[in-house]
Amino acid sequence: MKYVKYGQCIKCGKTHEATANLTTCDCDGILDIIYDYEAIKADFTKKDLHHRPRTMWRYKELLPVEDTTTPPPLRVGWSPLYEADRLGAQLGLGKLWVKDDGQNPTASLKDRASAMAVAKATEAGAKVIACSSTGNAASSLAGNAAAAGLKTYIFVPSRAPKGKVAQLMTFGATVISVQGSYEDTFELSKAAIDKWGWYNRNAAINPYLSEGKKTVGLEIMEQLGWEVPDYIAISVGDGCTIAGLWKGLKDLYAIGFIDKLPRLISAQAEGCCPLNRAIESGEDWYPMEENTIADSIAVGVPRNAEKALMAIRESNGIVVNVTDAEIMAAQKLLGQTCGVFGEPAGVTGAAGVKKLCDAGILGENDTVVSVVTGNGLKDVANAIAACGEPISIPSDMEQLLSAFAEHNIVVD
Amino acid sequence: MKYVKYGQCIKCGKTHEATANLTTCDCDGILDIIYDYEAIKADFTKKDLHHRPRTMWRYKELLPVEDTTTPPPLRVGWSPLYEADRLGAQLGLGKLWVKDDGQNPTASLKDRASAMAVAKATEAGAKVIACSSTGNAASSLAGNAAAAGLKTYIFVPSRAPKGKVAQLMTFGATVISVQGSYEDTFELSKAAIDKWGWYNRNAAINPYLSEGKKTVGLEIMEQLGWEVPDYIAISVGDGCTIAGLWKGLKDLYAIGFIDKLPRLISAQAEGCCPLNRAIESGEDWYPMEENTIADSIAVGVPRNAEKALMAIRESNGIVVNVTDAEIMAAQKLLGQTCGVFGEPAGVTGAAGVKKLCDAGILGENDTVVSVVTGNGLKDVANAIAACGEPISIPSDMEQLLSAFAEHNIVVD
């Protein structure tokens, strides 16, 4: 890895050789992968990107993989960035884009981290990978590993939606559904990984996973022609995703591809917002109940709190908490105005943007990218709860007319 | 439309001006869009494709849209074509590729037709589009229309899986769930479209939709570097998709981009295979019950039988019928070996390929592309039925060890 210097503990500053199976520091601090930006700057220009594959692997100078490593088979990354002009106008924003990261192979942003995990596991010579997850990290790991011929052990809390469980079972993972919270799930996975020595895909343990996630930030900037928006909004659970996004943006700034940094908008669910609460209070974070329909971000004990809080603070970010009702409304709004169907946690960023617009904090002078982190098909029950059931009738025109009248549908 | 000559009836041969709201012939025959291949040949080379957007719209010379028409917003097409070497070896094939068309914005191949419908509706000045559908045409139309700001009326049979219904409701369609078969659903939609004059997205009525679907064939060939495989396998219901695929391949042959044509493999469910039965018997098709879990291809009265039968016969194709159990096994097989999660109808083509390999009809001298037409997340209940439920335990190592022992899981 020509451009990777080492892994550095964000707590004690100690550096560690960037071996393929790197985990946390002796002090238990999470590591950050440090690059030689001067060397990258000398070798890597925007023009180099023109002919590269449209996947997350196009940014190879900024990724911690060996030159000899073949990217895993599934096509991860380069999800569409849509200009959401009608929705932007409706919200009163200067400009709004929606990055639909539900358009990844297993339908969530987590594919970026899981593809990286598979690449690094291969480098480490591992044949088995394991993780705990609220669902998306799990299904993305199972899919990416299956495509690469690796075995997986997956721990999910029993509340994980059926869509994610169906993916896991189809991809042939050994799935342990833990009767308890995400915290309980994480602890059992940790004990099992310690016992059997599986390659660890827990994002707050394995420092390479943030490096996969950061590609969402690299892509947003390239897709915007390196013109930096004022804000990037994203939902926050464990903290790894927003930390990864920020790392990507800082990388681009460090190598001179962008000339300023956007402010982050950290959106959490009101029923589970330990990180946003810490930012608001200026105090340390402490655990919270996991009380929201947005299962992927229902994380009462965030495993990457430090990196996430640093990212929000460094970016002079805004935090916003939304209710489940606001999440459901955002799901409908994105579907109806953009044709984008996000899962509850996936649209929490957009719900936050709407709330900030309604409060007058964001407005016509602001340009915003809202990241949708997962596809709504993963959690159909909540989508139907949000958007209702269809009109049900026999195949009969009279009954159609009556049903339209009853539902106040005026055909134009 | 510089290269489109006219629409021509496949039954009586009559030609019709290619207006944006073209439907069927006076004789009720379905129309085919006819191009000026000589003119295309003179103007269009493979090299022209190098710098075009990676969407279905990159093949503009072969598409029936005006130069001035802006493609609808969602990013449709250019789905991944995976080399499925492990699965191919397992089946004893010379070479196998899997085209995952579940990687489209609303997670099915039908996005190709719906994006075309939205483009043509816009050209026709329509503000409302309608269709009947087993589910995927519906959800893709709802999504693509929502993104473009058009209204939709959608008719689905009441058996449509919840995932597709959730998409429809989220995209803000007016959805009529018809208590009856697909045939009943189609008839009510037809009566309503006639009554209110909505733009018609029924694929067997609107001749432009096959032209959208054919882009899957164009892409396969471009992704293979214009090297023609021996076979392309795809699931068949209404008949429009296989007919569209064949049209795309013939277009490429006509303009000299490929030098031969592959043979088609038409895969239907044993419980609903009127088209394959017609090929096998050499007689006309006649209606059948809709008795399969593969809802998207459960079409007892195929609306595009003629074009589909012509395609299979012209290509010297093979037909294969698979049981629901074989479909479920294929779902698991694709998931576990390729990391591709298809819905039951989506993997019916692959189930057919496996069956033909098992029967010794396909083997080590054959190269095959298998198209997965829709994402398994659309029908989670059947995936769980196919692949089982996870192990459920509290967060406790002793219980994990017992559960592994009970399930004969030996950790390596």
Side-chain angles (χ1 to χ4, degrees), chain A residues 162-202:
Chain A
K162 282 193 178 305
K164 301 179 188 181
V165 174
Q167 290 183 301
L168 291 171
M169 299 309 294
T170 304
F171 294 140
T174 300
V175 186
I176 298 98
S177 171
V178 178
Q179 297 153 13
S181 66
Y182 176 58
E183 169 70 4
D184 299 327
T185 309
F186 185 89
E187 291 303 335
L188 183 60
S189 81
K190 190 171 176 305
I193 291 168
D194 287 349
K195 180 174 172 62
W196 284 295
W198 299 323
Y199 192 82
N200 192 332
R201 184 251 178 263
N202 282 328

Side-chain angles (χ1 to χ4, degrees), chain A residues 54 73 75 78 80 82 86 103 105 146-147 149 169-171 175 177-179 184 336 338-339 341 388 391-393 395 411, chain B residues 54 73 75 78 80 82 86 103 105 146-147 149 169-171 175 177-179 184 196 338-339 341 388 391-393 395:
Chain A
R54 280 174 174 71
R75 183 185 73 177
W78 204 257
Y82 294 126
R86 269 178 307 126
Q103 300 291 311
M169 299 309 294
T170 304
F171 294 140
V175 186
S177 171
V178 178
Q179 297 153 13
D184 299 327
Q336 297 190 0
C338 303
F341 181 24
I391 295 164
S392 177
I393 53 164
S395 180
V411 179
Chain B
R54 279 174 175 71
R75 183 186 73 177
W78 205 257
Y82 294 125
R86 267 179 307 127
Q103 301 290 313
M169 300 309 293
T170 304
F171 294 140
V175 186
S177 171
V178 178
Q179 298 153 12
D184 299 328
W196 284 295
C338 304
F341 181 23
I391 296 164
S392 177
I393 52 163
S395 180

Side-chain angles (χ1 to χ4, degrees), chain B residues 20 36 86 104 108 149 208 212 248 254 259 263 267 310 337 340 349 354 362 373 379-380 384 398 400:
Chain B
D36 181 348
R86 267 179 307 127
N104 269 305
S108 85
Y208 295 115
D259 57 6
R263 295 174 68 184
M310 276 169 53
T337 59
V340 169
K354 179 171 190 314
L362 298 180
T373 53
D379 184 3
V380 161
I384 290 179
E398 288 308 312
L400 181 62

Side-chain angles (χ1 to χ4, degrees), chain A residues 6-218:
Chain A
Y6 39 72
Q8 181 164 34
C9 177
I10 60 166
K11 227 156 116 185
C12 74
K14 185 173 167 186
T15 62
H16 301 257
E17 189 193 344
T19 55
N21 50 12
L22 202 59
T23 56
T24 46
C25 186
D26 327 317
C27 80
D28 247 10
I30 291 173
L31 305 183
D32 200 14
I33 302 299
I34 306 298
Y35 293 83
D36 180 347
Y37 291 122
E38 288 311 310
I40 297 174
K41 243 175 147 164
D43 293 354
F44 182 38
T45 69
K46 292 172 184 173
K47 226 182 130 189
D48 292 325
L49 291 167
H50 287 185
H51 297 287
R52 294 202 184 160
R54 280 174 174 71
T55 69
M56 62 178 270
W57 304 103
R58 65 197 270 102
Y59 307 104
K60 60 182 183 182
E61 288 83 355
L62 290 169
L63 294 177
V65 286
E66 303 290 349
D67 263 356
T68 49
T69 301
T70 310
L74 296 185
R75 183 185 73 177
V76 178
W78 204 257
S79 62
L81 181 78
Y82 294 126
E83 296 191 59
D85 289 352
R86 269 178 307 126
L87 178 55
Q90 196 173 319
L91 297 179
L93 282 172
K95 182 84 185 171
L96 176 67
W97 295 266
V98 171
K99 173 81 168 166
D100 185 6
D101 234 42
Q103 300 291 311
N104 269 305
T106 76
S108 85
L109 185 148
K110 299 293 173 75
D111 277 329
R112 300 177 185 275
S114 290
M116 179 61 75
V118 170
K120 297 307 289 182
T122 309
E123 289 180 5
K127 300 274 177 254
V128 183
I129 317 184
C131 77
S132 69
S133 156
T134 54
N136 282 332
S139 55
S140 67
L141 176 61
N144 281 278
L150 298 177
K151 205 170 163 175
T152 49
Y153 288 86
I154 307 277
F155 298 77
V156 289
S158 50
R159 66 155 198 258
K162 282 193 178 305
K164 301 179 188 181
V165 174
Q167 290 183 301
L168 291 171
M169 299 309 294
T170 304
F171 294 140
T174 300
V175 186
I176 298 98
S177 171
V178 178
Q179 297 153 13
S181 66
Y182 176 58
E183 169 70 4
D184 299 327
T185 309
F186 185 89
E187 291 303 335
L188 183 60
S189 81
K190 190 171 176 305
I193 291 168
D194 287 349
K195 180 174 172 62
W196 284 295
W198 299 323
Y199 192 82
N200 192 332
R201 184 251 178 263
N202 282 328
I205 301 284
N206 184 326
Y208 296 114
L209 302 194
S210 276
E211 301 298 307
K213 289 186 175 183
K214 81 180 179 188
T215 58
V216 72
L218 306 180

